[in-house]
């Protein structure tokens, strides 16, 4: 959430972040000068600046303007997303998006000014951060591009064209933020690129109306390609950012919850019972996340992988057994060790296959430090003395995020509701309430900031969703042999 309480900064944080913002302003100037040298084809750049006082003063002016723009961007992030920019990698990611967008816009602008992928910077940030940041940084980027256009003044012959480019950058980028569906498929996102091109096409047609039919068509085609190009470059470049900065975009979440994904395929083959359980937990977790405004796709992905550790010893888990139970031949201690290992094994497998860390944490935390009551009770039967319940409990840690708390609750509810005989709404609600209260009593939510109100909303969401999963079937009347079919 954007308005969460923000942490305090030390002097070292201010210094580091200020240097990074200052560095970006300098890098933009270097890119400007580099582009200027490239389009002007002058060999000795230094003497060019020393000889031409106007050029030097222009350069100093643009440098100061860039510093001011950087400063305003810093103030925005500092007041709105302080924790986000405290992390150096996040700042580098934002600036890298801007620098890449600048280079791409410069290169395509050389072909035709209407071919510039104006919305590129905004759409990348939409997928990597959020709408608000995408809109704000796009404003900053549009201003920077305008400074560049004024400075280079190469393919834009008049200031009117420079301001048109500024307007298109702002309109096309902002429009893209509202039009492009972050939860849509890559193909749908590409198609939305055509809508993003509309303001560019309208401007191109209006401004080039007198340039002749052939030229007008050419310009309109370039303009039509602008938005599409932005979205095409986005789909190519996004995996790099996902990998380099460990960002889980909705594209990536969609891919890892695909049933053809490597680990999900293993789960289906080796532990089909667990896979079926996973599907129900995923739909419950999705409903809960929607109800308390968390990312439902992330909750779904965490649910898909929460029991992935069971593939190592699938037959030891009830849902995968068909009659034979290997625990009948094991001591309760050994059984406990096998059962509780699945949480750590899951995290281990997810990390080994380089899946996102957030999934590993969900797998590790989904049982918290809850006891495995069945084997604890079994062990008690074999001893006269006392037993430490911790020896029969999961290793933890307890859920550290709201989503992991949701996975914990949904996981337990799915298993418990199976055992409820008469699944009326009241009985299901009672079972869900018991699960949540039991975990509250055992202090399982003390490491995450979930509230009583949210737990109440989650309880209702699970009860309603489970009523849909386990609804009573309509009893079909038995047909006697020889009687004609009712159809
Ligand atoms: Fe589990
Ligand atoms: Fe589970």
């Amino acid at each position: 959430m954007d308005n969460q309480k923000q942490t305090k900064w030390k002097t070292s944080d201010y210094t580091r972040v200020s240097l990074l913002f200052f560095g970006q302003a300098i890098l933009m100037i270097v890119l400007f000068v580099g582009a200027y040298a490239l389009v002007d084809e002058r060999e000795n750049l230094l003497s060019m600046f020393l000889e031409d006082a106007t050029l030097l003063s222009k350069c100093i002016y643009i440098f100061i303007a860039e510093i001011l723009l950087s400063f305003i961007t810093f103030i925005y992030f500092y007041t709105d997303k302080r924790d986000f920019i405290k992390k150096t990698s996040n700042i580098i990611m934002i600036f890298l998006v801007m620098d890449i967008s600048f280079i791409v816009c410069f290169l395509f602008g050389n072909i035709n000014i209407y071919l510039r992928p104006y919305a590129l910077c905004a759409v990348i940030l939409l997928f990597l951060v959020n709408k608000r940041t995408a809109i704000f940084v796009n404003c900053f980027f549009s201003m920077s591009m305008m400074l560049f256009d004024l400075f280079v003044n190469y393919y834009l012959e008049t200031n009117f064209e420079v301001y048109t480019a500024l307007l298109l950058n702002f309109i096309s980028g902002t429009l893209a933020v509202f039009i492009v569906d972050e939860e849509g498929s890559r193909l749908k996102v590409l198609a939305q690129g055509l809508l993003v091109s509309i303001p560019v096409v309208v401007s191109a047609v209006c401004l080039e109306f007198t340039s002749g039919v052939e030229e007008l068509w050419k310009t309109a085609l370039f303009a039509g390609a602008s938005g599409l190009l932005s979205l095409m470059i986005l789909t190519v470049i996004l995996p790099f950012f996902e990998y380099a900065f460990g960002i889980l975009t909705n594209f990536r979440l969609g891919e890892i919850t695909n049933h053809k994904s490597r680990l999900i395929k293993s789960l289906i083959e080796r532990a089909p019972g667990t896979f079926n359980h996973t599907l129900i937990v995923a739909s419950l977790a999705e409903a809960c996340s929607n109800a308390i405004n968390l990312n439902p796709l992330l909750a779904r992905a965490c649910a898909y992988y929460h029991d992935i550790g069971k593939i190592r010893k699938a037959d030891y888990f009830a849902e995968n057994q068909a009659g034979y139970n290997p625990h009948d031949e094991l001591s309760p201690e050994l059984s406990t060790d096998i059962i509780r290992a699945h949480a750590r094994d899951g995290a281990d497998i997810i990390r080994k296959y380089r899946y996102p860390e957030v999934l590993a944490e969900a797998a590790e935390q989904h049982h918290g430090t809850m006891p495995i009551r069945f084997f604890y009770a079994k062990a008690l039967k074999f001893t006269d003395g006392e037993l430490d319940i911790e020896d029969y409990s999961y290793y933890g840690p307890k859920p550290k995020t709201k989503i992991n708390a949701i996975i914990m609750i949904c996981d337990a509810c799915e298993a418990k509701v199976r055992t409820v005989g008469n699944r009326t709404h009241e009985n299901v609600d009672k079972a869900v309430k018991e699960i949540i209260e039991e975990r509250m009593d055992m202090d399982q939510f003390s490491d995450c900031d979930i509230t009583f109100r949210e737990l109440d909303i989650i309880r209702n969401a699970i009860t309603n969703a489970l009523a849909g999963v386990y609804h009573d079937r309509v009893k079909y009347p038995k047909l006697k042999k020889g009687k004609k079919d009712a159809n």
Side-chain angles (χ1 to χ4, degrees):
M1 297 280 291
D2 287 332
N3 292 325
Q4 277 175 352
K5 210 166 66 182
Q6 314 215 42
T7 53
K8 281 195 173 176
W9 279 22
K10 294 179 205 153
T11 318
S12 59
D13 292 325
Y14 286 106
T15 318
R16 179 174 48 84
V17 174
S18 309
L19 280 174
L20 282 164
F21 273 83
F22 187 69
Q24 166 67 5
I26 294 185
L27 186 63
M28 284 305 267
I29 295 298
V30 170
L31 288 173
F32 285 6
V33 174
Y36 190 96
L38 207 68
V39 295
D40 233 40
E41 289 170 353
R42 298 210 192 166
E43 279 173 10
N44 195 340
L45 200 64
L46 186 67
S47 64
M48 180 179 95
F49 276 95
L50 292 176
E51 281 163 18
D52 190 344
T54 329
L55 187 64
L56 192 64
S57 68
K58 248 172 140 185
C59 195
I60 292 169
Y61 161 72
I62 283 166
F63 178 62
I64 293 168
E66 270 297 326
I67 300 262
L68 287 174
L69 281 175
S70 261
F71 181 64
I72 290 166
T73 314
F74 169 72
I75 293 175
Y76 161 73
F77 278 111
Y78 184 73
T79 46
D80 204 62
K81 287 180 85 67
R82 198 175 303 174
D83 290 346
F84 177 77
I85 56 160
K86 202 176 172 189
K87 234 174 131 186
T88 305
S89 63
N90 285 340
I91 304 180
I92 293 175
M93 180 180 80
I94 301 263
F95 290 156
L96 200 58
V97 171
M98 289 178 63
D99 298 340
I100 291 174
S101 305
F102 169 77
I103 294 168
V104 173
C105 282
F106 167 69
L107 293 175
F108 282 99
N110 262 322
I111 301 169
N112 188 296
I113 188 62
Y114 295 108
L115 188 62
R116 263 190 191 178
Y118 288 108
L120 183 62
C121 180
V123 284
I124 301 179
L125 290 174
L126 170 70
F127 280 84
L128 294 179
V129 192
N130 59 17
K131 276 193 169 71
R132 205 170 155 128
T133 302
I135 292 172
F136 186 83
V137 176
N138 183 54
C139 290
F140 173 40
F141 177 73
S142 306
M143 298 287 184
S144 287
M145 281 306 290
M146 181 198 70
L147 287 174
F148 168 74
D149 290 336
L150 283 173
F151 179 62
V152 174
N153 207 11
Y154 177 65
Y155 41 73
L156 299 183
E157 282 157 12
T158 63
N159 280 355
F160 183 77
E161 284 180 337
V162 170
Y163 299 132
T164 305
L166 165 72
L167 204 65
L168 286 179
N169 225 323
F170 172 72
I171 293 176
S172 197
T174 311
L175 189 71
V177 170
F178 291 109
I179 283 182
V180 176
D181 178 12
E182 310 135 78
E183 290 171 22
S185 65
R186 285 186 203 246
L187 202 66
K188 188 176 168 195
V189 165
L190 275 181
Q192 284 159 345
L194 290 172
L195 294 176
V196 175
S197 298
I198 292 174
V200 191
V201 175
V202 172
S203 304
V205 172
C206 287
L207 294 174
E208 305 294 326
F209 197 66
T210 50
S211 58
V213 179
E214 201 178 317
E215 192 60 28
L216 188 64
W217 267 109
K218 205 174 106 188
T219 311
L221 277 176
F222 278 135
S226 160
L228 196 64
L229 196 61
S230 296
L231 277 299
M232 273 166 73
I233 298 169
L234 166 85
T235 53
V236 172
I237 222 168
L238 213 50
F240 160 74
F241 281 100
E242 284 168 346
Y243 187 79
F245 295 95
I247 305 276
L248 255 182
T249 62
N250 288 337
F251 281 154
R252 179 92 180 101
L253 287 171
E255 279 162 9
I256 56 180
T257 51
N258 189 307
H259 293 189
K260 286 178 185 155
S261 160
R262 186 163 45 175
L263 286 178
I264 298 293
K265 255 166 93 181
S266 313
L267 188 66
I268 295 171
E269 282 162 19
R270 293 202 229 164
T274 305
F275 175 68
N276 285 330
H277 153 76
T278 292
L279 290 180
I280 299 172
V281 176
S283 81
L284 295 181
E286 210 175 340
C288 293
S289 304
N290 271 325
I292 61 168
N293 290 326
L294 299 175
N295 182 350
L297 290 178
L298 179 60
R300 190 178 174 75
C302 290
Y304 261 79
Y305 288 83
H306 82 280
D307 269 342
I308 201 78
K310 289 186 180 176
I311 58 175
R312 285 199 177 154
K313 285 188 171 157
D315 295 345
Y316 287 82
F317 296 88
E319 66 268 23
N320 300 315
Q321 291 164 1
Y324 173 68
N325 183 359
H327 289 290
D328 293 343
E329 292 161 23
L330 299 178
S331 68
E333 289 74 27
L334 199 54
S335 291
T336 303
D337 280 344
I338 292 171
I339 297 295
R340 65 180 168 181
H342 86 271
R344 281 185 175 175
D345 282 351
D348 195 40
I349 294 168
I350 292 165
R351 288 184 183 123
K352 191 175 145 199
Y353 284 89
R354 293 181 172 275
Y355 276 60
E357 179 59 21
V358 67
L359 302 184
E361 285 168 8
E364 212 164 25
Q365 295 166 18
H366 80 278
H367 287 290
T369 53
M370 290 295 288
I372 305 168
R373 290 193 194 283
F374 182 81
F375 293 114
Y376 178 63
K378 192 176 170 186
L380 279 177
K381 283 184 199 163
F382 293 109
T383 179
D384 297 330
E386 288 207 344
L387 289 173
D388 187 352
I389 198 160
E390 260 191 38
D391 294 336
Y392 297 86
S393 302
Y394 283 94
Y395 301 110
K398 296 173 195 172
K400 290 187 195 299
T401 63
K402 289 182 188 182
I403 286 200
N404 291 353
I406 287 177
I407 304 293
M408 171 186 250
I409 297 167
C410 295
D411 180 39
C413 287
E414 195 281 322
K416 174 139 187 168
V417 172
R418 272 173 201 264
T419 63
V420 174
N422 183 15
R423 291 183 197 122
T424 59
H425 194 275
E426 289 73 33
N427 287 348
V428 170
D429 188 48
K430 199 170 146 233
V432 175
K433 192 179 171 210
E434 274 171 23
I435 290 282
I436 296 177
E437 281 175 356
E438 187 188 20
R439 272 141 194 83
M440 279 164 73
D441 291 344
M442 303 210 71
D443 204 28
Q444 295 301 304
F445 305 128
S446 57
D447 287 351
C448 71
D449 54 0
I450 200 155
T451 62
F452 285 118
R453 193 178 134 68
E454 284 167 334
L455 286 171
D456 213 38
I457 297 172
I458 286 170
R459 177 183 145 194
N460 282 330
I462 296 178
T463 306
N464 291 335
L466 278 175
V469 175
Y470 294 119
H471 61 84
D472 281 338
R473 294 263 172 90
V474 176
K475 288 196 173 77
Y476 297 106
K478 278 185 182 171
L479 294 177
K480 283 184 184 169
K481 257 189 174 179
K483 281 202 172 181
K484 276 194 177 174
D485 198 303
N487 291 335

